Amino acid sequence: SAVISQKPSRDICQRGTSLTIQCQVDSQVTMMFWYRQQPGQSLTLIATANQGSEATYESGFVIDKFPISRPNLTFSTLTVSNMSPEDSSIYLCSVEDQGMNTEAFFGQGTRLTVV
Amino acid sequence: KQEVTQIPAALSVPEGENLVLNCSFTDSAIYNLQWFRQDPGKGLTSLLLIQSSQREQTSGRLNASLDKSSGRSTLYIAASQPGDSATYLCAAPTDSWGKLQFGAGTQVVVTP
């Protein structure tokens, strides 16, 4: 099973600033997924990140607000830009290390509070 | 589009009782269904993955079943313990690329 390290584990940020979240996987994976979990809610997919190509964003999420980098097969970053209190959520990265539609593994999440 | 529903939203049981958690999905052409556990403020821990070709999957005290015709999966936790207190989420892929659609979760409290 893949082991995913996510940094930071939590942060408190001022509105209008940006935060970059890092996701490191212990094996090479084709796709990495970024999810958001708003307080009291379930997970919603933000985007899918493939190495060497632009990330694919879900409806309601845009690249200017959530730019994603995927420089290699084991690493990705998600930036939350120009933050507002509504961005306070847990952000999680996920991979399926055996290929598509196999078991999904998640990082421990980044708990973001915007004040 | 695959829709996933979990009922009830919350459940409280005394220690030792068996837990039964329900998950419904709308598209029977499902690739797989996965159950996760989430502790407060934390990430997700994978519990069980049931492939489309399987009827059930077991791991220790956990057993998950999959009935594609009725659009249901059930997670059974035998002889519950206070350490089983957490939120349990089920998820199914929305397409062949592995994007997951999650249910809202069932928050479980096991009282000593």
Side-chain angles (χ1 to χ4, degrees), chain A residues 6-59:
Chain A
Q6 215 177 306
K7 294 179 180 179
S9 59
R10 58 172 58 211
D11 207 341
I12 301 174
C13 299
Q14 296 292 323
R15 67 177 66 200
T17 63
S18 298
L19 176 72
T20 295
I21 302 167
Q22 298 179 2
C23 182
Q24 178 75 52
V25 189
D26 68 344
S27 59
Q28 294 184 340
V29 293
T30 302
M31 289 192 287
M32 297 177 75
F33 303 91
W34 286 98
Y35 290 84
R36 179 177 74 180
Q37 186 177 31
Q38 295 177 298
Q41 304 296 314
S42 191
L43 281 74
T44 301
L45 182 65
I46 297 172
T48 303
N50 291 338
Q51 192 267 334
S53 63
E54 293 285 333
T56 303
Y57 290 82
E58 298 299 303
S59 177

Tab-separated table of all heavy atoms in Angstrom, chain A residues 6-59:
chain	number	residue	atom	x	y	z
A	6	GLN	N	1.869	14.274	3.796
A	6	GLN	CA	1.296	15.552	3.425
A	6	GLN	C	1.799	16.610	4.403
A	6	GLN	O	1.808	16.397	5.612
A	6	GLN	CB	-0.238	15.457	3.486
A	6	GLN	CG	-0.950	16.259	2.458
A	6	GLN	CD	-2.452	16.090	2.494
A	6	GLN	OE1	-2.986	14.983	2.434
A	6	GLN	NE2	-3.136	17.214	2.611
A	7	LYS	N	2.181	17.765	3.849
A	7	LYS	CA	2.655	18.858	4.688
A	7	LYS	C	2.045	20.176	4.241
A	7	LYS	O	1.885	20.386	3.030
A	7	LYS	CB	4.185	18.987	4.569
A	7	LYS	CG	4.966	17.847	5.094
A	7	LYS	CD	6.465	18.116	4.893
A	7	LYS	CE	7.307	16.971	5.419
A	7	LYS	NZ	8.757	17.219	5.200
A	8	PRO	N	1.720	21.105	5.133
A	8	PRO	CA	1.735	20.916	6.581
A	8	PRO	C	0.516	20.120	7.033
A	8	PRO	O	-0.415	19.919	6.265
A	8	PRO	CB	1.673	22.356	7.099
A	8	PRO	CG	0.863	23.068	6.061
A	8	PRO	CD	1.232	22.445	4.749
A	9	SER	N	0.521	19.669	8.259
A	9	SER	CA	-0.638	18.939	8.765
A	9	SER	C	-1.762	19.902	9.146
A	9	SER	O	-2.940	19.542	9.090
A	9	SER	CB	-0.250	18.085	9.971
A	9	SER	OG	0.278	18.904	10.999
A	10	ARG	N	-1.392	21.107	9.526
A	10	ARG	CA	-2.388	22.131	9.807
A	10	ARG	C	-1.743	23.501	9.716
A	10	ARG	O	-0.515	23.632	9.836
A	10	ARG	CB	-3.027	21.934	11.176
A	10	ARG	CG	-2.061	21.941	12.340
A	10	ARG	CD	-2.816	21.925	13.664
A	10	ARG	NE	-3.683	20.768	13.777
A	10	ARG	CZ	-4.831	20.786	14.450
A	10	ARG	NH1	-5.252	21.874	15.044
A	10	ARG	NH2	-5.563	19.683	14.533
A	11	ASP	N	-2.577	24.503	9.489
A	11	ASP	CA	-2.073	25.867	9.429
A	11	ASP	C	-3.222	26.839	9.660
A	11	ASP	O	-4.375	26.527	9.334
A	11	ASP	CB	-1.411	26.146	8.081
A	11	ASP	CG	-0.331	27.220	8.173
A	11	ASP	OD1	-0.333	27.994	9.153
A	11	ASP	OD2	0.526	27.291	7.262
A	12	ILE	N	-2.874	27.966	10.227
A	12	ILE	CA	-3.822	29.066	10.385
A	12	ILE	C	-3.273	30.221	9.559
A	12	ILE	O	-2.127	30.643	9.761
A	12	ILE	CB	-3.976	29.471	11.861
A	12	ILE	CG1	-4.471	28.288	12.694
A	12	ILE	CG2	-4.923	30.668	11.989
A	12	ILE	CD1	-4.505	28.553	14.185
A	13	CYS	N	-4.070	30.703	8.615
A	13	CYS	CA	-3.584	31.695	7.660
A	13	CYS	C	-4.475	32.925	7.661
A	13	CYS	O	-5.675	32.849	7.955
A	13	CYS	CB	-3.547	31.100	6.252
A	13	CYS	SG	-2.458	29.662	6.083
A	14	GLN	N	-3.870	34.044	7.279
A	14	GLN	CA	-4.614	35.292	7.156
A	14	GLN	C	-5.341	35.324	5.819
A	14	GLN	O	-4.841	34.817	4.802
A	14	GLN	CB	-3.659	36.476	7.244
A	14	GLN	CG	-2.953	36.617	8.581
A	14	GLN	CD	-3.908	37.003	9.699
A	14	GLN	OE1	-4.836	37.788	9.493
A	14	GLN	NE2	-3.688	36.448	10.881
A	15	ARG	N	-6.512	35.904	5.792
A	15	ARG	CA	-7.236	36.040	4.537
A	15	ARG	C	-6.411	36.856	3.548
A	15	ARG	O	-5.658	37.739	3.930
A	15	ARG	CB	-8.594	36.672	4.748
A	15	ARG	CG	-8.592	38.116	5.197
A	15	ARG	CD	-10.002	38.658	5.307
A	15	ARG	NE	-10.751	38.005	6.373
A	15	ARG	CZ	-12.079	37.991	6.450
A	15	ARG	NH1	-12.792	38.547	5.487
A	15	ARG	NH2	-12.688	37.415	7.453
A	16	GLY	N	-6.538	36.488	2.270
A	16	GLY	CA	-5.805	37.171	1.217
A	16	GLY	C	-4.446	36.567	0.912
A	16	GLY	O	-3.838	36.885	-0.110
A	17	THR	N	-3.968	35.676	1.780
A	17	THR	CA	-2.679	35.025	1.543
A	17	THR	C	-2.881	33.693	0.829
A	17	THR	O	-4.019	33.288	0.549
A	17	THR	CB	-1.930	34.801	2.863
A	17	THR	OG1	-2.685	33.904	3.691
A	17	THR	CG2	-1.727	36.120	3.603
A	18	SER	N	-1.777	33.010	0.530
A	18	SER	CA	-1.825	31.716	-0.157
A	18	SER	C	-1.077	30.677	0.663
A	18	SER	O	-0.142	30.993	1.394
A	18	SER	CB	-1.200	31.821	-1.551
A	18	SER	OG	-1.917	32.733	-2.357
A	19	LEU	N	-1.484	29.441	0.528
A	19	LEU	CA	-0.821	28.331	1.200
A	19	LEU	C	-0.577	27.221	0.192
A	19	LEU	O	-1.483	26.852	-0.563
A	19	LEU	CB	-1.682	27.789	2.340
A	19	LEU	CG	-1.115	26.553	3.054
A	19	LEU	CD1	0.095	26.954	3.899
A	19	LEU	CD2	-2.174	25.886	3.931
A	20	THR	N	0.636	26.682	0.207
A	20	THR	CA	0.950	25.554	-0.664
A	20	THR	C	1.060	24.295	0.169
A	20	THR	O	1.794	24.259	1.160
A	20	THR	CB	2.251	25.801	-1.433
A	20	THR	OG1	2.063	26.922	-2.315
A	20	THR	CG2	2.629	24.586	-2.270
A	21	ILE	N	0.324	23.272	-0.243
A	21	ILE	CA	0.294	21.982	0.432
A	21	ILE	C	1.084	20.984	-0.401
A	21	ILE	O	0.900	20.900	-1.623
A	21	ILE	CB	-1.153	21.497	0.607
A	21	ILE	CG1	-1.960	22.523	1.402
A	21	ILE	CG2	-1.193	20.139	1.295
A	21	ILE	CD1	-3.463	22.304	1.365
A	22	GLN	N	1.940	20.238	0.264
A	22	GLN	CA	2.774	19.271	-0.436
A	22	GLN	C	2.288	17.845	-0.172
A	22	GLN	O	1.851	17.520	0.926
A	22	GLN	CB	4.219	19.385	0.039
A	22	GLN	CG	4.851	20.735	-0.231
A	22	GLN	CD	6.283	20.794	0.284
A	22	GLN	OE1	6.819	19.819	0.802
A	22	GLN	NE2	6.902	21.945	0.110
A	23	CYS	N	2.413	17.018	-1.191
A	23	CYS	CA	2.022	15.613	-1.094
A	23	CYS	C	3.132	14.761	-1.700
A	23	CYS	O	3.430	14.901	-2.889
A	23	CYS	CB	0.706	15.396	-1.817
A	23	CYS	SG	0.073	13.716	-1.718
A	24	GLN	N	3.725	13.896	-0.880
A	24	GLN	CA	4.823	13.037	-1.312
A	24	GLN	C	4.396	11.580	-1.158
A	24	GLN	O	3.937	11.180	-0.093
A	24	GLN	CB	6.063	13.303	-0.455
A	24	GLN	CG	7.261	12.432	-0.764
A	24	GLN	CD	7.958	12.848	-2.028
A	24	GLN	OE1	8.310	14.006	-2.208
A	24	GLN	NE2	8.164	11.908	-2.948
A	25	VAL	N	4.578	10.793	-2.222
A	25	VAL	CA	4.202	9.381	-2.201
A	25	VAL	C	5.463	8.533	-2.243
A	25	VAL	O	6.451	8.921	-2.886
A	25	VAL	CB	3.310	9.031	-3.414
A	25	VAL	CG1	2.745	7.624	-3.276
A	25	VAL	CG2	2.194	10.035	-3.552
A	26	ASP	N	5.421	7.372	-1.587
A	26	ASP	CA	6.626	6.536	-1.520
A	26	ASP	C	6.779	5.626	-2.733
A	26	ASP	O	7.676	4.774	-2.759
A	26	ASP	CB	6.630	5.708	-0.233
A	26	ASP	CG	5.539	4.648	-0.210
A	26	ASP	OD1	4.586	4.737	-1.026
A	26	ASP	OD2	5.624	3.739	0.627
A	27	SER	N	5.945	5.764	-3.737
A	27	SER	CA	6.062	4.987	-4.965
A	27	SER	C	5.580	5.843	-6.134
A	27	SER	O	4.904	6.851	-5.931
A	27	SER	CB	5.235	3.700	-4.887
A	27	SER	OG	3.876	4.005	-4.661
A	28	GLN	N	5.943	5.452	-7.325
A	28	GLN	CA	5.540	6.223	-8.500
A	28	GLN	C	4.084	5.913	-8.855
A	28	GLN	O	3.702	4.741	-8.944
A	28	GLN	CB	6.459	5.891	-9.672
A	28	GLN	CG	7.901	6.344	-9.456
A	28	GLN	CD	8.771	6.095	-10.671
A	28	GLN	OE1	8.438	5.281	-11.523
A	28	GLN	NE2	9.889	6.798	-10.770
A	29	VAL	N	3.320	6.936	-9.071
A	29	VAL	CA	1.906	6.775	-9.409
A	29	VAL	C	1.571	7.664	-10.592
A	29	VAL	O	2.127	8.747	-10.746
A	29	VAL	CB	0.981	7.123	-8.215
A	29	VAL	CG1	1.162	6.112	-7.093
A	29	VAL	CG2	1.232	8.527	-7.705
A	30	THR	N	0.637	7.210	-11.396
A	30	THR	CA	0.268	7.966	-12.585
A	30	THR	C	-0.548	9.204	-12.218
A	30	THR	O	-0.239	10.311	-12.650
A	30	THR	CB	-0.544	7.090	-13.544
A	30	THR	OG1	0.226	5.941	-13.883
A	30	THR	CG2	-0.904	7.857	-14.804
A	31	MET	N	-1.561	9.005	-11.421
A	31	MET	CA	-2.453	10.119	-11.096
A	31	MET	C	-2.497	10.354	-9.600
A	31	MET	O	-2.449	9.425	-8.799
A	31	MET	CB	-3.852	9.843	-11.628
A	31	MET	CG	-3.936	9.934	-13.142
A	31	MET	SD	-5.620	9.956	-13.747
A	31	MET	CE	-6.059	8.252	-13.452
A	32	MET	N	-2.607	11.613	-9.262
A	32	MET	CA	-2.825	12.005	-7.874
A	32	MET	C	-4.089	12.861	-7.848
A	32	MET	O	-4.365	13.608	-8.790
A	32	MET	CB	-1.624	12.773	-7.325
A	32	MET	CG	-0.353	11.933	-7.299
A	32	MET	SD	1.110	12.824	-6.735
A	32	MET	CE	0.808	12.919	-4.982
A	33	PHE	N	-4.841	12.713	-6.790
A	33	PHE	CA	-6.117	13.403	-6.662
A	33	PHE	C	-6.068	14.325	-5.444
A	33	PHE	O	-5.534	13.961	-4.398
A	33	PHE	CB	-7.254	12.396	-6.482
A	33	PHE	CG	-7.362	11.379	-7.592
A	33	PHE	CD1	-6.686	10.170	-7.509
A	33	PHE	CD2	-8.133	11.639	-8.709
A	33	PHE	CE1	-6.774	9.233	-8.523
A	33	PHE	CE2	-8.238	10.706	-9.731
A	33	PHE	CZ	-7.556	9.497	-9.639
A	34	TRP	N	-6.663	15.493	-5.599
A	34	TRP	CA	-6.791	16.435	-4.480
A	34	TRP	C	-8.271	16.601	-4.133
A	34	TRP	O	-9.094	16.877	-5.015
A	34	TRP	CB	-6.187	17.785	-4.840
A	34	TRP	CG	-4.685	17.773	-4.859
A	34	TRP	CD1	-3.874	17.638	-5.945
A	34	TRP	CD2	-3.819	17.909	-3.730
A	34	TRP	NE1	-2.562	17.679	-5.559
A	34	TRP	CE2	-2.497	17.843	-4.214
A	34	TRP	CE3	-4.033	18.065	-2.360
A	34	TRP	CZ2	-1.378	17.945	-3.371
A	34	TRP	CZ3	-2.930	18.170	-1.522
A	34	TRP	CH2	-1.631	18.110	-2.026
A	35	TYR	N	-8.573	16.445	-2.832
A	35	TYR	CA	-9.940	16.557	-2.340
A	35	TYR	C	-10.016	17.666	-1.286
A	35	TYR	O	-9.037	17.979	-0.616
A	35	TYR	CB	-10.405	15.250	-1.689
A	35	TYR	CG	-10.624	14.106	-2.644
A	35	TYR	CD1	-9.568	13.300	-3.070
A	35	TYR	CD2	-11.907	13.816	-3.116
A	35	TYR	CE1	-9.775	12.245	-3.941
A	35	TYR	CE2	-12.124	12.757	-3.987
A	35	TYR	CZ	-11.055	11.972	-4.395
A	35	TYR	OH	-11.269	10.939	-5.256
A	36	ARG	N	-11.208	18.195	-1.131
A	36	ARG	CA	-11.490	19.149	-0.069
A	36	ARG	C	-12.621	18.597	0.797
A	36	ARG	O	-13.587	18.022	0.272
A	36	ARG	CB	-11.916	20.501	-0.653
A	36	ARG	CG	-12.242	21.555	0.397
A	36	ARG	CD	-12.592	22.877	-0.247
A	36	ARG	NE	-13.907	22.879	-0.859
A	36	ARG	CZ	-14.435	23.927	-1.487
A	36	ARG	NH1	-13.739	25.055	-1.581
A	36	ARG	NH2	-15.636	23.852	-2.014
A	37	GLN	N	-12.493	18.790	2.097
A	37	GLN	CA	-13.543	18.394	3.026
A	37	GLN	C	-13.881	19.599	3.892
A	37	GLN	O	-13.136	19.950	4.809
A	37	GLN	CB	-13.109	17.205	3.883
A	37	GLN	CG	-14.233	16.675	4.760
A	37	GLN	CD	-13.810	15.458	5.562
A	37	GLN	OE1	-12.646	15.312	5.944
A	37	GLN	NE2	-14.757	14.552	5.821
A	38	GLN	N	-14.981	20.228	3.568
A	38	GLN	CA	-15.426	21.377	4.353
A	38	GLN	C	-15.996	20.897	5.686
A	38	GLN	O	-16.397	19.733	5.814
A	38	GLN	CB	-16.445	22.187	3.560
A	38	GLN	CG	-15.822	22.814	2.306
A	38	GLN	CD	-16.823	23.557	1.464
A	38	GLN	OE1	-17.776	22.982	0.947
A	38	GLN	NE2	-16.601	24.865	1.309
A	39	PRO	N	-16.013	21.781	6.683
A	39	PRO	CA	-16.451	21.374	8.028
A	39	PRO	C	-17.800	20.660	8.024
A	39	PRO	O	-18.773	21.166	7.476
A	39	PRO	CB	-16.512	22.702	8.784
A	39	PRO	CG	-15.509	23.568	8.095
A	39	PRO	CD	-15.582	23.191	6.650
A	40	GLY	N	-17.828	19.481	8.606
A	40	GLY	CA	-19.063	18.718	8.704
A	40	GLY	C	-19.527	18.089	7.411
A	40	GLY	O	-20.627	17.530	7.371
A	41	GLN	N	-18.732	18.173	6.359
A	41	GLN	CA	-19.129	17.660	5.055
A	41	GLN	C	-18.274	16.463	4.654
A	41	GLN	O	-17.286	16.135	5.306
A	41	GLN	CB	-18.981	18.760	3.992
A	41	GLN	CG	-19.750	20.025	4.285
A	41	GLN	CD	-21.250	19.816	4.310
A	41	GLN	OE1	-21.802	19.158	3.424
A	41	GLN	NE2	-21.913	20.344	5.316
A	42	SER	N	-18.683	15.846	3.563
A	42	SER	CA	-17.879	14.754	3.029
A	42	SER	C	-16.835	15.311	2.066
A	42	SER	O	-16.684	16.531	1.927
A	42	SER	CB	-18.790	13.750	2.325
A	42	SER	OG	-18.070	12.567	2.032
A	43	LEU	N	-16.123	14.434	1.402
A	43	LEU	CA	-15.051	14.856	0.514
A	43	LEU	C	-15.579	15.200	-0.873
A	43	LEU	O	-16.450	14.505	-1.405
A	43	LEU	CB	-14.003	13.744	0.370
A	43	LEU	CG	-13.009	13.578	1.505
A	43	LEU	CD1	-13.662	12.942	2.722
A	43	LEU	CD2	-11.812	12.769	1.038
A	44	THR	N	-14.990	16.248	-1.446
A	44	THR	CA	-15.302	16.658	-2.808
A	44	THR	C	-13.999	16.736	-3.583
A	44	THR	O	-13.026	17.342	-3.116
A	44	THR	CB	-15.982	18.040	-2.827
A	44	THR	OG1	-17.184	17.984	-2.058
A	44	THR	CG2	-16.308	18.462	-4.249
A	45	LEU	N	-13.991	16.173	-4.789
A	45	LEU	CA	-12.792	16.185	-5.612
A	45	LEU	C	-12.543	17.582	-6.165
A	45	LEU	O	-13.452	18.186	-6.752
A	45	LEU	CB	-12.931	15.185	-6.748
A	45	LEU	CG	-11.739	15.045	-7.688
A	45	LEU	CD1	-10.517	14.483	-6.943
A	45	LEU	CD2	-12.086	14.151	-8.881
A	46	ILE	N	-11.315	18.071	-5.998
A	46	ILE	CA	-10.930	19.365	-6.571
A	46	ILE	C	-10.384	19.159	-7.974
A	46	ILE	O	-10.832	19.793	-8.933
A	46	ILE	CB	-9.846	20.051	-5.704
A	46	ILE	CG1	-10.376	20.355	-4.298
A	46	ILE	CG2	-9.344	21.322	-6.389
A	46	ILE	CD1	-9.306	20.842	-3.330
A	47	ALA	N	-9.392	18.277	-8.095
A	47	ALA	CA	-8.730	18.103	-9.387
A	47	ALA	C	-7.933	16.813	-9.393
A	47	ALA	O	-7.622	16.234	-8.357
A	47	ALA	CB	-7.817	19.287	-9.678
A	48	THR	N	-7.597	16.396	-10.606
A	48	THR	CA	-6.749	15.244	-10.852
A	48	THR	C	-5.439	15.744	-11.450
A	48	THR	O	-5.455	16.545	-12.405
A	48	THR	CB	-7.420	14.284	-11.841
A	48	THR	OG1	-8.694	13.897	-11.319
A	48	THR	CG2	-6.564	13.056	-12.069
A	49	ALA	N	-4.329	15.283	-10.906
A	49	ALA	CA	-3.018	15.766	-11.340
A	49	ALA	C	-2.237	14.636	-11.993
A	49	ALA	O	-1.933	13.631	-11.356
A	49	ALA	CB	-2.247	16.306	-10.149
A	50	ASN	N	-1.941	14.800	-13.279
A	50	ASN	CA	-1.097	13.864	-14.012
A	50	ASN	C	0.279	14.469	-14.199
A	50	ASN	O	0.400	15.673	-14.433
A	50	ASN	CB	-1.692	13.558	-15.385
A	50	ASN	CG	-2.962	12.763	-15.276
A	50	ASN	OD1	-3.203	12.102	-14.284
A	50	ASN	ND2	-3.788	12.837	-16.291
A	51	GLN	N	1.289	13.638	-14.135
A	51	GLN	CA	2.638	14.122	-14.335
A	51	GLN	C	2.828	14.539	-15.785
A	51	GLN	O	2.472	13.800	-16.699
A	51	GLN	CB	3.645	13.036	-13.953
A	51	GLN	CG	5.066	13.536	-13.853
A	51	GLN	CD	5.852	13.384	-15.153
A	51	GLN	OE1	5.543	12.511	-15.948
A	51	GLN	NE2	6.863	14.199	-15.346
A	52	GLY	N	3.354	15.735	-15.990
A	52	GLY	CA	3.663	16.202	-17.327
A	52	GLY	C	2.526	16.850	-18.072
A	52	GLY	O	2.666	17.184	-19.255
A	53	SER	N	1.392	17.033	-17.414
A	53	SER	CA	0.279	17.702	-18.079
A	53	SER	C	-0.462	18.588	-17.085
A	53	SER	O	-0.241	18.492	-15.876
A	53	SER	CB	-0.685	16.684	-18.703
A	53	SER	OG	-1.254	15.894	-17.696
A	54	GLU	N	-1.324	19.424	-17.603
A	54	GLU	CA	-2.117	20.302	-16.743
A	54	GLU	C	-3.101	19.474	-15.915
A	54	GLU	O	-3.637	18.473	-16.394
A	54	GLU	CB	-2.894	21.305	-17.588
A	54	GLU	CG	-2.035	22.329	-18.316
A	54	GLU	CD	-1.492	23.390	-17.377
A	54	GLU	OE1	-2.144	23.658	-16.339
A	54	GLU	OE2	-0.422	23.943	-17.662
A	55	ALA	N	-3.342	19.935	-14.733
A	55	ALA	CA	-4.328	19.264	-13.890
A	55	ALA	C	-5.722	19.441	-14.471
A	55	ALA	O	-6.000	20.424	-15.179
A	55	ALA	CB	-4.274	19.822	-12.477
A	56	THR	N	-6.582	18.476	-14.211
A	56	THR	CA	-7.974	18.535	-14.655
A	56	THR	C	-8.850	18.880	-13.460
A	56	THR	O	-8.868	18.128	-12.483
A	56	THR	CB	-8.412	17.179	-15.244
A	56	THR	OG1	-7.534	16.824	-16.308
A	56	THR	CG2	-9.839	17.264	-15.760
A	57	TYR	N	-9.592	19.984	-13.570
A	57	TYR	CA	-10.374	20.496	-12.457
A	57	TYR	C	-11.836	20.089	-12.572
A	57	TYR	O	-12.399	20.033	-13.662
A	57	TYR	CB	-10.258	22.016	-12.377
A	57	TYR	CG	-8.877	22.474	-11.946
A	57	TYR	CD1	-7.829	22.557	-12.861
A	57	TYR	CD2	-8.626	22.768	-10.609
A	57	TYR	CE1	-6.560	22.934	-12.455
A	57	TYR	CE2	-7.355	23.154	-10.194
A	57	TYR	CZ	-6.329	23.235	-11.125
A	57	TYR	OH	-5.074	23.606	-10.708
A	58	GLU	N	-12.440	19.836	-11.422
A	58	GLU	CA	-13.862	19.524	-11.363
A	58	GLU	C	-14.674	20.816	-11.415
A	58	GLU	O	-14.149	21.913	-11.175
A	58	GLU	CB	-14.174	18.743	-10.092
A	58	GLU	CG	-13.462	17.408	-10.015
A	58	GLU	CD	-13.830	16.471	-11.151
A	58	GLU	OE1	-15.031	16.180	-11.307
A	58	GLU	OE2	-12.900	16.041	-11.873
A	59	SER	N	-15.945	20.637	-11.715
A	59	SER	CA	-16.837	21.778	-11.772
A	59	SER	C	-16.836	22.520	-10.442
A	59	SER	O	-16.940	21.914	-9.375
A	59	SER	CB	-18.259	21.299	-12.098
A	59	SER	OG	-19.166	22.364	-12.087
